[in-house]
Amino acid sequence: MEQANMRLVLASKNQKKLAEMNDILSHLGIQVCSEAEVGVDVEVEETGTTFEENSLLKARAVMEASGLPAIADDSGLCVDALSGAPGVWSARYGGPDLDDAGRYRLLLENMRGQSPRTAKFVSVITCCFPNGDVLTARGECPGTIAFAPMGEGGFGYDPVFFIPALKKTFAQLTPEEKNAVSHRGKALERFKQKLEEYLAGK
Ligand code: IMP
């Protein structure tokens, strides 16, 4: 793809997501910047029941507030033995008093004695342009829930999300290794293809 030289505002305060997106998109001349860098601070109530709905809510709100193309990732962990929970509620699992470690400890607690331990991470990327155009891409990464946290890298549920083929949790991978297999990495690869087609058609 040709260098796009485009700036997208990320609808999130999560610095780790910002870094992961820039790692993947910067090769194309796409710079992802934070809301703070363009002087907006948008609180979006995630009222949707799907990753697609929440991703669109976030990207549209930041595009409208900034007047610039905005990109959002709505993501989460879906555990088979828990009927897909925590799913779209991954960031809010266990209520507002828990931090990342509290949430994955609660997950391990809820998984005690459960089988299978299969799960998947899902990411839906949405990009909203000021002219009303919208691009969406979804990525999934299958894995299992570990019996105990392992590794120091990443964020969120990374220490308990185990990739059998690599015999490591997400938190034990380098950023490059995680991006190569992750839900967000896959969604962003698809997004890049869609953006290329979109820009070619302009
Ligand atoms: P969101 O920011 O509303 O999309 O919430 C996503 C939540 O899902 C995060 O707060 C994490 O708890 C979890 N999550 C999403 N992607 C990842 C990941 O790559 N690693 C670990 N946890 C993740």
Side-chain angles (χ1 to χ4, degrees):
M1 179 181 174
E2 279 177 33
Q3 293 284 300
N5 289 322
M6 175 180 278
R7 191 157 80 139
L8 303 175
V9 187
L10 176 63
S12 172
K13 312 279 183 299
N14 184 330
Q15 289 298 323
K16 297 274 172 82
K17 275 192 190 178
L18 184 67
E20 286 187 7
M21 288 207 180
N22 269 314
D23 279 350
I24 295 169
L25 295 177
S26 64
H27 308 289
L28 303 176
I30 298 170
Q31 189 211 345
V32 185
C33 63
S34 64
E35 292 178 33
E37 282 173 81
V38 297
V40 298
D41 181 4
V42 182
E43 273 313 319
V44 183
E45 219 190 317
E46 296 187 25
T47 51
T49 54
T50 64
F51 295 110
E52 279 76 5
E53 283 176 82
N54 285 336
S55 188
L56 178 61
L57 282 174
K58 291 190 275 191
R60 195 166 46 203
V62 170
M63 179 276 289
E64 284 172 355
S66 66
L68 297 167
I71 186 170
D73 155 88
D74 197 63
S75 46
L77 178 62
C78 305
V79 181
D80 293 327
L82 304 178
S83 309
V88 291
W89 291 278
S90 293
R92 296 162 276 175
Y93 193 46
D97 295 336
L98 294 187
D99 58 6
D100 277 354
R103 279 185 282 275
Y104 71 61
R105 284 198 200 103
L106 174 64
L107 177 66
L108 290 180
E109 187 69 27
N110 290 339
M111 282 301 287
R112 202 179 289 169
Q114 299 276 11
S115 79
R117 298 185 72 87
T118 48
K120 65 180 177 187
F121 263 122
V122 177
S123 161
V124 174
I125 303 286
T126 303
C127 184
C128 288
F129 294 90
N131 67 358
D133 290 344
V134 176
L135 299 179
T136 304
R138 183 185 179 101
E140 298 189 356
C141 178
T144 62
I145 303 303
F147 288 91
M150 289 180 288
E152 304 294 328
F155 67 98
Y157 299 89
D158 280 352
V160 298
F161 189 71
F162 187 77
I163 306 291
L166 301 176
K167 296 191 172 63
K168 284 180 181 170
T169 67
F170 262 1
Q172 294 175 303
L173 301 179
T174 65
E176 293 73 28
E177 287 170 335
K178 179 179 170 187
N179 287 340
V181 297
S182 80
H183 51 310
R184 194 167 302 102
K186 288 178 187 163
L188 285 169
E189 284 302 328
R190 284 191 193 121
F191 170 69
K192 269 179 0 188
Q193 286 165 13
K194 289 194 173 183
L195 183 61
E196 184 175 29
E197 288 160 17
Y198 173 78
L199 293 173
K202 287 224 140 250

